[in-house]
Amino acid sequence: MWGGRFESAPDAIMEEINASIGFDQALFQQDIAASKAHVAMLAAGGVVTPADADAISAGLDQVLGEIEGGRFNFSRALEDIHMNVESRLAEIVGPAAGRLHTARSRNDQVAVDFRLWVRDAIDQLDRQLHAVQLALAETAEAHAGSVMPGFTHLQPAQPVTFGHHLLAYVEMLGRDRGRFRDARARMNECPLGAAALAGTSFPIDRDMTARALGFDRPTANSLDSVSDRDFALETLSTIAICATHLSRFAEEIVLWTGPFFGFLRLSDKFSTGSSIMPQKRNPDAAELVRGKTGRMIGALNGLLIVMKGLPLAYSKDMQEDKEGVFDAVHSLSLCLAAVTGMVRDMTPDVDAMRAAASSGYSTATDIADWLVRRLGMPFRQAHHVTGRVVALASARSVGLEQLTLDDLRTIEPAFEQDALEVLAVEQSVASRTSYGGTAPQNVKAQAEGWLARLRGEARG
């Protein structure tokens, strides 16, 4: 490839550290698509003859078929996917294959290949995120009124519903999808034609190649085109955020399937056993979702560190951009499939959730709210009075709902009989009717809204 300048072959260790074909062969479809768009543009501009362009395009189709059919021999000596494809193309069509690299460089070639790959990956991840949201929303609708404890600091806080809890993750994943869409829109510019770093003197039509490859426009600066990977960083950032959301849910599955909570059960399809303890049912799928989040966050950190000190334009350091992205995309895809499966598989124990919702004096805020509404008491004073009520229940080792009106009046004589009604967890959740609150009617409406939107996407 550069034999005219060099007099000897690279050292074996140089070949080892320099070759990227072991991982960038994943770009073969994108590389061939970009090459076909490029040669078609060269022919349209008279840079290559129509006959050569037709031969090159047909040869590229043959190479694609060989790779997809498992009949292609990837060579480390040829370093990367670009030279492997071009070398085989030369065997098929002869010297005309050498015209394909006119007006381009491996720098803009890999930039366009990688953008195309990441764009395809975002589309696939979006479809999987849609599936997780749909599973969560359907379960949320079915459990719009199933009471469970809400937590802060992992301590009982106020009662909520299971459906409300699940819809929180639907919202999070919806924002993740928005971040992916934003990243896709920003990266949808075509760097092909930037060449090595300065553009080219050939009369190329970069708008033509951009359109052919589904980009909105060509990139505007040739230096920027080949030297930045912010599109990969933005995608990795979104992957890391999304994985963190999945990890939080996975952690809850781990807690909730244990005997101390007992809120959920996973079937044998998403549980494993122990080699020594026959009784064990381990939520390994959830634990692995939680664990894989670390490697996805690590991929983002790794690429940030690679890019942080690079002067313009291209440096070989940037060959380290792909493996982390490939791994992160694969890991997130696997985690999304696992979470979708667990949501479809899990069986909530609504009785256990309801019993737990009454623990920890979780309706205390409802007493404070009653004091504000009925007696016009300032909330800070109501908070203090309610604290004394909780202290009384705690001293007697009973729940708030076991206190009598006489008990309440020892603390605040103005308490009335209807104050006892707010202590039921069902009444507590039913009262949270503010927009976004946990009242079952709210949750059902929110779930129905999400389902209409998600099912509409599937039809569209």
Side-chain angles (χ1 to χ4, degrees), residues 18-88:
N18 194 45
S20 61
I21 190 60
F23 54 86
D24 70 12
Q25 61 184 266
L27 302 173
F28 74 90
Q29 291 179 325
Q30 291 78 17
D31 191 72
I32 291 172
S35 290
K36 290 182 68 175
H38 183 66
V39 76
M41 179 273 297
L42 292 178
V47 179
V48 302
T49 67
D52 282 345
D54 289 344
I56 290 170
S57 184
L60 288 168
D61 285 337
Q62 181 175 332
V63 174
L64 178 64
E66 290 176 2
I67 297 175
E68 290 179 335
R71 303 185 305 276
F72 191 91
N73 180 34
F74 291 103
S75 169
R76 289 180 60 81
L78 293 171
E79 293 188 13
D80 56 34
I81 186 61
H82 322 301
M83 297 313 301
N84 269 265
V85 169
E86 187 174 325
S87 175
R88 176 62 182 134

Side-chain angles (χ1 to χ4, degrees), residues 15-232:
E15 181 177 314
E16 179 69 21
I17 197 172
N18 194 45
S20 61
I21 190 60
F23 54 86
D24 70 12
Q25 61 184 266
L27 302 173
F28 74 90
Q29 291 179 325
Q30 291 78 17
D31 191 72
I32 291 172
S35 290
K36 290 182 68 175
H38 183 66
V39 76
M41 179 273 297
L42 292 178
V47 179
V48 302
T49 67
D52 282 345
D54 289 344
I56 290 170
S57 184
L60 288 168
D61 285 337
Q62 181 175 332
V63 174
L64 178 64
E66 290 176 2
I67 297 175
E68 290 179 335
R71 303 185 305 276
F72 191 91
N73 180 34
F74 291 103
S75 169
R76 289 180 60 81
L78 293 171
E79 293 188 13
D80 56 34
I81 186 61
H82 322 301
M83 297 313 301
N84 269 265
V85 169
E86 187 174 325
S87 175
R88 176 62 182 134
L89 180 66
E91 294 174 352
I92 296 170
V93 305
R99 301 189 185 281
L100 174 60
H101 210 54
T102 306
R104 76 173 183 185
S105 160
R106 285 192 297 173
N107 294 355
D108 63 336
Q109 194 176 355
V110 70
V112 72
D113 290 0
F114 198 20
R115 284 189 189 229
L116 288 169
W117 191 94
V118 172
R119 193 178 69 182
D120 291 344
I122 287 174
D123 292 343
Q124 173 59 31
L125 292 173
D126 183 73
R127 288 189 288 271
Q128 290 188 272
L129 278 162
H130 175 276
V132 180
Q133 284 186 296
L134 186 62
L136 287 166
E138 288 177 349
T139 308
E141 182 185 38
H143 290 278
S146 299
V147 178
M148 68 172 290
F151 299 94
T152 61
H153 309 277
L154 201 56
Q155 303 298 314
Q158 292 177 277
V160 296
T161 73
F162 186 50
H164 191 58
H165 195 107
L166 295 182
L167 286 179
Y169 287 103
V170 176
E171 296 286 342
M172 294 179 211
L173 298 179
R175 292 192 295 275
D176 292 332
R177 294 182 70 191
R179 277 182 279 269
F180 275 125
R181 286 192 294 269
D182 291 346
R184 192 190 193 285
R186 263 186 292 279
M187 66 167 283
N188 206 35
E189 298 181 345
C190 184
L192 192 59
L197 76 162
T200 178
S201 59
F202 288 96
I204 61 172
D205 184 348
R206 293 189 63 206
D207 287 298
M208 178 180 175
T209 48
R211 286 193 304 271
L213 294 170
F215 289 105
D216 295 330
R217 64 191 69 86
T219 51
N221 183 285
S222 60
L223 286 166
D224 173 58
S225 301
V226 300
S227 66
D228 206 355
R229 293 295 184 267
D230 57 353
F231 67 92

Side-chain angles (χ1 to χ4, degrees), residues 394-416:
S394 178
R396 295 184 180 179
S397 299
V398 298
L400 292 177
E401 70 279 5
Q402 294 173 276
L403 296 177
T404 67
L405 181 59
D406 289 339
D407 293 330
L408 295 181
R409 284 177 171 171
T410 63
I411 297 168
E412 170 52 62
F415 269 117
E416 298 291 344

Side-chain angles (χ1 to χ4, degrees), residues 147-152 154-161 263 352-370 379 383 386-387 389-391 393-394 398-403 419-432 438:
V147 178
M148 68 172 290
F151 299 94
T152 61
L154 201 56
Q155 303 298 314
Q158 292 177 277
V160 296
T161 73
F263 291 176
M353 289 182 178
R354 166 62 178 79
S358 299
S359 65
Y361 313 111
S362 64
T363 55
T365 306
D366 296 272
I367 299 177
D369 290 347
W370 185 93
F379 183 79
H383 186 285
T386 304
V389 172
V390 172
S394 178
V398 298
L400 292 177
E401 70 279 5
Q402 294 173 276
L403 296 177
L420 299 176
E421 297 173 6
V422 305
L423 298 177
V425 291
E426 287 80 8
Q427 176 61 32
S428 176
V429 297
S431 71
R432 307 296 172 186
T438 192

Side-chain angles (χ1 to χ4, degrees), residues 308-361:
K308 71 175 182 61
L310 297 184
L312 301 184
Y314 181 86
S315 296
K316 195 69 175 212
D317 311 48
M318 292 166 66
Q319 184 168 289
E320 294 297 313
D321 60 356
K322 298 173 200 65
E323 287 181 279
V325 173
F326 293 164
D327 183 77
V329 167
H330 173 73
S331 294
L332 183 59
S333 178
L334 189 57
C335 289
L336 288 168
V339 170
T340 303
M342 285 188 287
V343 172
R344 296 291 187 195
D345 180 74
M346 66 189 185
T347 303
D349 188 332
V350 295
D351 292 333
M353 289 182 178
R354 166 62 178 79
S358 299
S359 65
Y361 313 111

Side-chain angles (χ1 to χ4, degrees), residues 307 312 399 457:
M307 298 299 299
L312 301 184
E457 286 181 30

